[in-house]
Amino acid sequence: MNMKSLILIILIAASGVFATLFPKVSFEEKESMILDAVMRFLESYHFVPQTINDEYSEQTFDLYIDYIDGGKRFLTVPEIEILANYKTLIDDQIKERNMEFFDRSMEVLDAATDRAEVIYNKIKTENLDIYSEGKIEMESDNRNFPENEAALEDRWRSMMTYDLIGRIHDKIKAQKDSAEVKSIEELQEKAMESMVESYDGWFERIGKLRRSDRFETYINTITHMHDPHSDYFNPKEKQDFDIRMGGKLEGIGARLVPDGDFIKVKEIIPGGPAWKGKELEAEDILTMVRQDGEESAMDLFGMRLDDAVQKIRGKKGTIVFLTAKKPDGSSKVIRIVRDEVIIDESFAKSLILDIPGQVKNIGYINLPTFYDSFENNKGNSCAKDVATEIEKLNENNVNGIILDLRNNGGGSLRDVVTMSGLFIENGPIVQVKPRDKKAYIYSDKDKSVQYDGPVIVMVNQFSASASEILAAALQDYNRAVIVGSNSTFGKGTVQRFVNLDEAYKGDDAFKPLGNLKITMQKFYRINGGSTQLKGVIPDIILPNEYHYIDTGEKDYDHAMSWSEINPVNYSQDVYEVTNMDVLRSNSGSRVKASENYDLVLENAERLKQVREESIFPLNLDDYTSIMNLREIEAEKFDSLYDHKIDQLKISNLPQDEPTFTEEDGKMERNEKWIKNMNEDFELEETLYIMRDMISSHN
């Protein structure tokens, strides 16, 4: 079965089919109709439909409470106990399409929100003590709900005091190089003003939340119980999909997702301003935004993603300042000049690498994403482009090829199958299994081999989906050495959109109902194991700053589990990696002796400790001491990736050099790319691994 036929089957586009499967049902409320449609699709098409029972009900209750008050700043224990009366009834109400629990939760939450605003308005008039002996637990999972209203008020006072201290500390830092030095009292007054402005705006936004906003939280609690990638989209959200839920921000080139009360960077778009600047990174938390010319920054605390997008987007050439909280807890103000994403920066491109006296004439291909003609308007195919790059490298008689898939979030399945086939004669590449059906095997049909020499594939924790399929296939064939972080991302599932309107014939008064993004399939390696959750474990692991921290799919609640199916028959007779133990041992010895990797591991340990430190003093002096110490410790690693590798020689392919004059800025972008490559000691170690591969086959 070809891919086009499979997609048509998966999408089940014919409304008549839906009408047959889901007969007409009368509903008094649109919410019940949406819930019914969502549950029917989940039950019929989700890869692993959940059993709707008391255990499911209890877990749904806990997840919903976390969604509506994850910071434990609104609800008290008595209110949790009121809602807990429904803890084992949610499953029954879901089956009945009954909204009683949701209605009750809205009553309790609305009253709790009003009470919190009253408490806040009282506390903001107080002279908060910034030199107290108190402490605060900042990891919400480690704290309990307040026992009563008095405890709730104490929590708000502690949270606001902590926020105020942090703002004062930032202002102290900001005036270090200023000619005018203000007193602590003056800074406290200014910090209080900015905090009140932030909280006032937050409560104003909460007050504007519609019942439908809360309902979508409830529905997505139910979908996320199945897996974190199945989501309900209201009609407007689906229309704005490129912005909401990780859409591309026009102007800076990043994909964002909500993260508690703030916004998290999920991915940096190759070719965009943030990608070129190298300062904003995946996993950064955005806390503030300021436009060029504005005196004060706007707090992103509690702001909806689409509202934040409107503040961050802007016209080409304008400047935005983003305050990003880094994984080590430090904050950094990042200046970004808004611009268009340069599409060709996401295309495959190649270089020739040498370390004189060590390894010579190695081809390097960088592939930031798996694009194809369905994903852009220029008809490009990454498989064809990589084949072209390999052809050019062959013309230069390279001794090996390094394919760099670091930070590649995936894309076209069709192209990853074709691209994998460039390195083998022909054979299976990946298994795609729908629910309750045999897996479809996607194979390379082309018996020709584009490159028959040694290959290394570079990956990291942000290499996902299609990147993992290619790495897994070449690893299973023993065709390439996979080099990188502890594991790849671990997203081994496939989602499709279904239109909830198609569930019903008639009932047009309630439509449109929205869309459901639903996990329908799972990727499996040709050896039978899935790439889900575990990702691909590299043959040779090079530590990075996330070495001791769980990232990727493992960091999601209710992520689907790893599983396996029957392997398929596969073999290749092109090039076999025969000395993996030697390659691994040699690399391990080099990494152990490397000062750079010593610092990487030291920094990774520091980041782990920072993440685990969640109790902070409510005392400005003590807080300042902790933050200053963190900054001093961080300075040790500031230039870790900024040192030029003197012995590394990087050359453009002769075939590419004439193209640099075809477009303004292309030469400059190329020079900047090569400069960054010259500071990449992961690449340096990969070249030494390639040297060992070549020598073992001579």
Side-chain angles (χ1 to χ4, degrees), residues 284-507:
D284 285 354
I285 302 293
L286 300 184
T287 60
M288 309 279 285
V289 58
R290 179 171 68 84
Q291 311 303 323
D292 190 29
E294 292 182 346
E295 184 176 338
S296 59
M298 176 174 288
D299 206 318
L300 295 175
F301 177 71
M303 190 175 289
R304 288 169 57 108
L305 178 59
D306 51 0
D307 291 335
V309 165
Q310 296 303 317
K311 306 299 180 185
I312 297 172
R313 298 170 77 191
K315 293 182 179 180
K316 176 180 177 179
T318 59
I319 298 171
V320 64
F321 295 88
L322 299 176
T323 302
K325 184 179 180 183
K326 296 291 183 178
D328 65 357
S330 65
S331 288
K332 185 175 186 179
V333 177
I334 299 172
R335 177 183 183 273
I336 299 178
V337 180
R338 297 179 176 107
D339 202 349
E340 298 174 1
V341 173
I342 302 171
I343 299 299
D344 66 4
E345 289 295 332
S346 67
F347 294 166
K349 52 185 177 180
S350 57
L351 296 166
I352 293 178
L353 311 177
D354 297 276
I355 299 179
Q358 297 292 330
V359 61
K360 183 179 180 182
N361 206 34
I362 303 302
Y364 168 87
I365 301 175
N366 179 256
L367 186 67
T369 185
F370 280 85
Y371 53 89
D372 71 5
S373 57
F374 295 110
E375 296 171 8
N376 59 69
N377 296 322
K378 294 189 176 182
N380 298 86
S381 159
C382 62
K384 291 180 181 178
D385 290 351
V386 168
T388 298
E389 297 305 314
I390 291 175
E391 183 179 349
K392 291 189 294 185
L393 292 171
N394 280 332
E395 291 171 1
N396 285 274
N397 298 313
V398 295
N399 296 312
I401 288 180
I402 296 169
L403 178 60
D404 192 346
L405 301 182
R406 289 176 294 177
N407 302 307
N408 185 320
S412 167
L413 176 61
R414 180 185 66 180
D415 280 76
V416 75
V417 171
T418 303
M419 192 183 303
S420 301
L422 300 175
F423 303 99
I424 62 170
E425 306 101 323
N426 64 318
I429 302 299
V430 64
Q431 303 184 75
V432 181
K433 189 182 183 310
R435 164 185 159 185
D436 298 332
K437 294 181 181 178
K438 290 181 63 176
Y440 300 103
I441 300 171
Y442 289 87
S443 299
D444 168 48
K445 307 292 187 182
D446 186 352
K447 293 185 177 181
S448 65
V449 178
Q450 192 78 7
Y451 182 71
D452 61 3
V455 176
I456 294 178
V457 179
M458 298 182 73
V459 295
N460 64 7
Q461 67 278 355
F462 300 118
S463 302
S465 192
S467 296
E468 297 175 284
I469 293 172
L470 185 144
L474 296 188
Q475 187 178 60
D476 289 346
Y477 274 109
N478 202 24
R479 174 66 183 87
V481 177
I482 314 302
V483 174
S485 56
N486 285 331
S487 71
T488 56
F489 191 91
K491 184 181 184 298
T493 57
V494 184
Q495 289 73 41
R496 306 291 185 198
F497 272 104
V498 292
N499 187 341
L500 299 184
D501 290 355
E502 302 291 352
Y504 308 104
K505 187 176 182 179
D507 293 308

Side-chain angles (χ1 to χ4, degrees), residues 130 163-173 184 187-189 191-192 620:
I130 60 172
D163 192 346
L164 181 63
I165 287 171
R167 291 170 187 265
I168 295 171
H169 172 72
D170 290 343
K171 290 184 180 299
I172 292 172
K173 283 176 56 183
I184 295 297
L187 295 177
Q188 181 173 351
E189 182 180 353
M192 190 69 183
L620 178 61

